Amino acid sequence: MNKKKTLALLLSMSMLFSACGGAKTDNKAEDQKEETKVEEATEDATGEGTAKGHNGDIKAVVTFEGDKIAKVDLEHEETEGLGDKAADSLVEKIVANNSVNVDTVSGATVTSTALIEAVKAAIEASGRDVKAFETEAEEKTGETIEKETDVVVIGGGGAGFAAAVSAKEAGADVILLEKLASVGGNTLISGGEYAAPANELQEKEGIEDSKEQFAKDVEEAGGDPELIKVLADHATEDAYWLRDEIGVEWLDSLMFFGGHSVKRSLIPAAHTGNELIKNYLNKSEELGIEVQTEADVKEILAEDGKIAGVRVETADGEMIVKAKSVVIASGGFGANDEMTYEFDNEIDEHVLSTNSPGATGDGILMAEELGADTVDMEKIQLYPICDVETGKLLYCGDTRLVGGALLVNKEGNRFVEELGTRREISMAIKDQTDYVGYLLWDETSNETTGTMASNPQEAESLFERGLMVKADTLEELAEHFDIDKDVLLETVATFNENSAKEEDPEFNLRMLGWQVKDAPFYMMKAAPAVHHTMGGLKINTEAQVLNKDGEWIDGLYAAGEVTGGIHGSNRLGSVAMTDITVFGRIAGENAAANAKK
Ligand SMILES: Cc1cc2nc3c(=O)[nH]c(=O)nc-3n(C[C@H](O)[C@H](O)[C@H](O)COP(=O)(O)OP(=O)(O)OC[C@H]3O[C@@H](n4cnc5c(N)ncnc54)[C@H](O)[C@@H]3O)c2cc1C
């Protein structure tokens, strides 16, 4: 029997006793005393509960004042800037409503669900009945709020913040609207690496580079040379703007991404795009930019052929924000299955998504309603080594790129060149049994690469879910994943023999000389996922959105992954950060000037 039930039973027995008239004269006071005693004995002032979140256990300590939740203290390791923000906003709602019946935070469902479970467990542990804390949260007011500003920015990713800060610095009033409960989008979950030609670190290392060389590298994929010229011209000065004006720390080393002719990519502190987002948030606060989350823009309004503002669904109801300039910075459509399947018929339910759940192409669809043109919509980039359950890009799999790793199937055979293009490998994996591949490497490769050590949370989560295994023998790995053991041993032996001779007659692997021979061995299950949508709204070099006649839709600007035309058929690693910053700034400055004219 739970404690609450014991309390109820004791109370009803004492009431029965008094109703039968058998009670002594001062029974009421006695009963009250008794009740208080029982309360004290059965309901604790705090309760503690845990549940499994994204990156491990979430522990909730709930403090009560009588039957009211007074506060919830949390201990967890959810993703900085995303899971932690969602957890804070959920706790606020739970306390405000004295209820666990609150909506999960979109974009952080696993964290939200775990947090609610942990709070429920804490309530139960305190001796209270969870049902008493499952009342309906307050309804939306249904009111329409009206606001007015100079520039509205749709989307709180890197492009949105670059636009908002630049517009504000150009003298405009700005409101930035983000549909999820926390800002950041794909920018936050990215590595944040930024292509900057002829930068200071290259100079120190004696690497020769130029804007022209960078433009040439990007143009290889067939993008618009005019847009690429603007990108290349501003790339490096904008990386310094991020450092000097926004506070982004660039590390002291560079990365070399495929398709670039030289090593030129800057790395943010902690190797994460959150370095940009957290500094942008600080800057926005300092400048007085209104940043509103849970503000889902549903429509871009126009009057007499000019932009007039936006219609927004908020947590409380509807909001109209009137503005002469609107910057669409709502990101790509990599998390919108319907759109990715429609534009690329090789993509289906066996291809997951690495993207933030906010990447649903809203900006493209809303602008199309106003006659906007699009470009390259069918050009979608895939990433081959992703979490088979969540689609998350797996950095532990970078052993493939550095120390060396083999990709095998359930039958124990290799099936593709492990360093082929992202698309080739993705499609090859999709053709295998269960639509997955298994990446295999040894301790030497693990040590040379070092990505497992620098991504401990990812590694732990994969080990815990049995999606990555470490073992002293290849046989154990094969057994765990139910792979044909004998074939696997033969595959590895053949590869080792050939690789020692710098040969790979089967797949012509371009990096040889390494082997799978030093225990412990590692194996990871992986599936492909949509990673970047190169297509989107057609813009000109002023970040103005164009209609099908090539004319500007007066007052409408766009920047970042929502636009198309720059990356052609293949966005090179680290060029998206450059793109969103350069065109975000241009869009913001021009939107401010338009609003003021
Ligand atoms: C895992 C991963 C790693 C990556 N690593 C790198 C890297 O190292 N270097 C690099 O150059 N690129 C990288 N990329 C690509 C890069 O992160 C993105 O292209 C870039 O961040 C897009 O920025 P953005 O501002 O255009 O969109 P986002 O950062 O996605 O922001 C768009 C925002 O708009 C919001 N939004 C959408 N619709 C609405 C609406 N209707 N109303 C209000 N808000 C809305 C979204 O919720 C989101 O917060 C990576 C991508 C991923 C997924």
Side-chain angles (χ1 to χ4, degrees):
M1 191 185 296
N2 77 20
K3 286 184 187 173
K4 186 73 191 184
K5 278 192 190 145
T6 318
L7 169 70
L9 190 64
L10 284 169
L11 286 175
S12 53
M13 277 169 70
S14 89
M15 274 150 69
L16 186 70
F17 191 55
S18 92
C20 291
K24 309 246 162 46
T25 35
D26 216 349
N27 261 347
K28 220 168 158 205
E30 280 295 328
D31 280 351
Q32 266 170 3
K33 243 203 239 157
E34 194 58 34
E35 272 183 43
T36 323
K37 255 201 221 155
V38 173
E39 285 272 2
E40 278 169 5
T42 56
E43 290 185 348
D44 298 331
T46 60
E48 195 179 302
T50 51
K52 201 150 274 317
H54 220 288
N55 300 334
D57 279 348
I58 296 183
K59 181 169 135 191
V61 180
V62 179
T63 305
F64 298 89
E65 278 166 10
D67 271 339
K68 261 202 83 56
I69 297 176
K71 68 172 176 142
V72 180
D73 293 311
L74 298 176
E75 270 177 39
H76 63 79
E77 290 180 357
E78 299 302 275
T79 312
E80 198 191 336
L82 187 66
D84 59 348
K85 293 259 164 59
D88 291 348
S89 101
L90 214 55
V91 161
E92 225 172 84
K93 284 185 195 161
I94 290 172
V95 174
N97 293 299
N98 200 38
S99 173
V100 287
N101 192 359
V102 289
D103 288 342
T104 55
V105 176
S106 51
T109 321
V110 176
T111 303
S112 307
T113 312
L115 190 148
I116 293 168
E117 286 312 312
V119 172
K120 281 185 182 174
I123 294 172
E124 210 159 80
S126 79
R128 290 168 177 81
D129 189 350
V130 175
K131 285 206 169 50
F133 296 89
E134 286 182 341
T135 47
E136 288 284 322
E138 269 180 37
E139 293 276 300
K140 291 183 177 189
T141 61
E143 279 172 33
T144 300
I145 297 170
E146 284 208 6
K147 286 189 181 180
E148 196 161 353
T149 190
D150 295 325
V151 177
V152 166
V153 176
I154 307 173
F161 275 110
V165 169
S166 302
K168 184 75 186 180
E169 285 184 332
D173 280 337
V174 182
I175 297 182
L176 182 148
L177 302 167
E178 165 57 50
K179 75 172 171 180
L180 300 184
S182 48
V183 295
N186 274 352
T187 307
L188 182 123
I189 59 170
S190 78
E193 273 88 32
Y194 184 117
N199 65 56
E200 291 163 1
L201 290 175
Q202 284 179 311
E203 211 173 298
K204 261 201 224 161
E205 288 187 34
I207 300 168
E208 268 187 45
D209 197 11
S210 64
K211 291 173 181 177
E212 292 72 24
Q213 186 55 50
F214 174 51
K216 206 161 156 248
D217 291 347
V218 177
E219 266 179 46
E220 281 283 312
D224 177 338
E226 280 188 33
L227 293 176
I228 295 172
K229 181 169 185 324
V230 174
L231 176 86
D233 283 349
H234 293 272
T236 305
E237 68 188 47
D238 283 359
Y240 298 149
W241 175 79
L242 280 173
R243 182 190 62 193
D244 303 334
E245 295 293 319
I246 307 299
V248 170
E249 181 191 343
W250 298 119
L251 297 179
D252 223 6
S253 54
L254 294 168
M255 257 171 101
F256 199 160
F257 283 92
H260 292 268
S261 51
V262 291
K263 187 161 79 160
R264 59 162 73 100
S265 303
L266 300 170
I267 308 166
H271 292 246
T272 157
N274 191 30
E275 173 67 10
L276 278 76
I277 295 299
K278 80 173 188 221
N279 282 297
Y280 268 136
L281 268 174
N282 291 340
K283 187 73 184 177
S284 301
E285 204 178 322
E286 182 192 314
L287 294 175
I289 294 170
E290 186 177 335
V291 175
Q292 187 170 343
T293 54
E294 294 189 276
D296 189 354
V297 179
K298 293 292 184 192
E299 189 184 355
I300 301 170
L301 307 170
E303 274 166 25
D304 304 327
K306 288 187 178 180
I307 292 302
V310 291
R311 183 173 62 80
V312 193
E313 256 179 40
T314 68
D316 301 321
E318 195 178 66
M319 178 166 77
I320 301 287
V321 188
K322 291 184 183 165
K324 277 200 324 220
S325 298
V326 169
V327 178
I328 309 175
S330 52
F333 58 95
N336 183 330
D337 293 343
E338 213 178 294
M339 283 178 85
T340 53
Y341 300 174
E342 178 192 339
F343 289 106
D344 184 336
N345 57 22
E346 285 192 304
I347 297 176
D348 59 24
E349 72 273 24
H350 304 303
V351 179
L352 309 166
S353 172
T354 64
N355 281 207
S356 148
T360 44
D362 301 8
I364 300 172
L365 302 172
M366 287 188 284
E368 278 186 317
E369 291 288 315
L370 298 172
D373 199 5
T374 56
V375 56
D376 292 342
M377 289 297 283
E378 70 293 354
K379 295 182 173 142
I380 296 176
Q381 187 177 80
L382 306 180
Y383 197 85
I385 308 296
C386 303
D387 190 313
V388 295
E389 288 174 357
T390 64
K392 185 179 176 295
L393 186 152
L394 294 175
Y395 292 102
C396 290
D398 283 358
T399 38
R400 179 178 65 96
L401 311 172
V402 187
L406 292 180
L407 196 50
V408 298
N409 57 18
K410 198 95 181 158
E411 293 71 32
N413 291 310
R414 288 174 68 208
F415 53 89
V416 68
E417 193 221 336
E418 287 81 353
L419 292 173
T421 65
R422 290 173 175 183
R423 184 148 195 122
E424 275 161 16
I425 303 174
S426 297
M427 286 304 153
I429 293 178
K430 194 169 109 63
D431 283 345
Q432 306 308 309
T433 306
D434 300 336
Y435 317 99
V436 296
Y438 301 87
L439 205 61
L440 167 68
W441 66 94
D442 73 353
E443 185 58 25
T444 303
S445 175
N446 182 42
E447 280 169 18
T448 319
T449 311
T451 38
M452 213 144 80
S454 48
N455 293 279
Q457 277 181 359
E458 179 184 295
E460 196 186 320
S461 162
L462 289 168
F463 281 132
E464 262 181 23
R465 290 178 290 140
L467 299 177
M468 181 158 75
V469 179
K470 175 180 177 177
D472 286 332
T473 63
L474 295 172
E475 285 88 336
E476 283 171 73
L477 298 181
E479 238 159 62
H480 176 85
F481 287 114
D482 196 21
I483 290 172
D484 190 315
K485 211 184 304 175
D486 297 333
V487 178
L488 180 72
L489 291 178
E490 206 179 303
T491 300
V492 173
T494 308
F495 174 78
N496 284 348
E497 202 182 312
N498 286 332
S499 182
K501 293 184 273 174
E502 298 277 340
E503 282 173 8
D504 180 25
E506 258 182 306
F507 298 103
N508 284 319
L509 180 59
R510 62 197 83 185
M511 182 175 81
L512 290 163
W514 59 275
Q515 291 170 323
V516 182
K517 62 174 176 25
D518 302 319
F521 301 103
Y522 302 82
M523 190 174 259
M524 176 205 274
K525 192 172 177 180
V530 169
H531 187 49
H532 193 92
T533 49
M534 272 78 72
L537 296 173
K538 196 163 189 177
I539 55 164
N540 61 17
T541 53
E542 298 300 323
Q544 296 174 325
V545 177
L546 305 177
N547 66 18
K548 294 204 162 52
D549 297 323
E551 292 158 350
W552 178 39
I553 301 174
D554 197 330
L556 195 57
Y557 301 85
E561 205 174 324
V562 72
T563 67
I566 293 169
H567 306 287
S569 57
N570 184 26
R571 192 267 293 166
L572 299 184
S574 78
V575 179
M577 283 302 122
T578 315
D579 169 16
I580 65 176
T581 311
V582 168
F583 283 94
R585 291 194 68 196
I586 294 173
E589 280 163 17
N590 289 340
N594 179 64
K596 292 284 175 198
K597 75 179 183 210

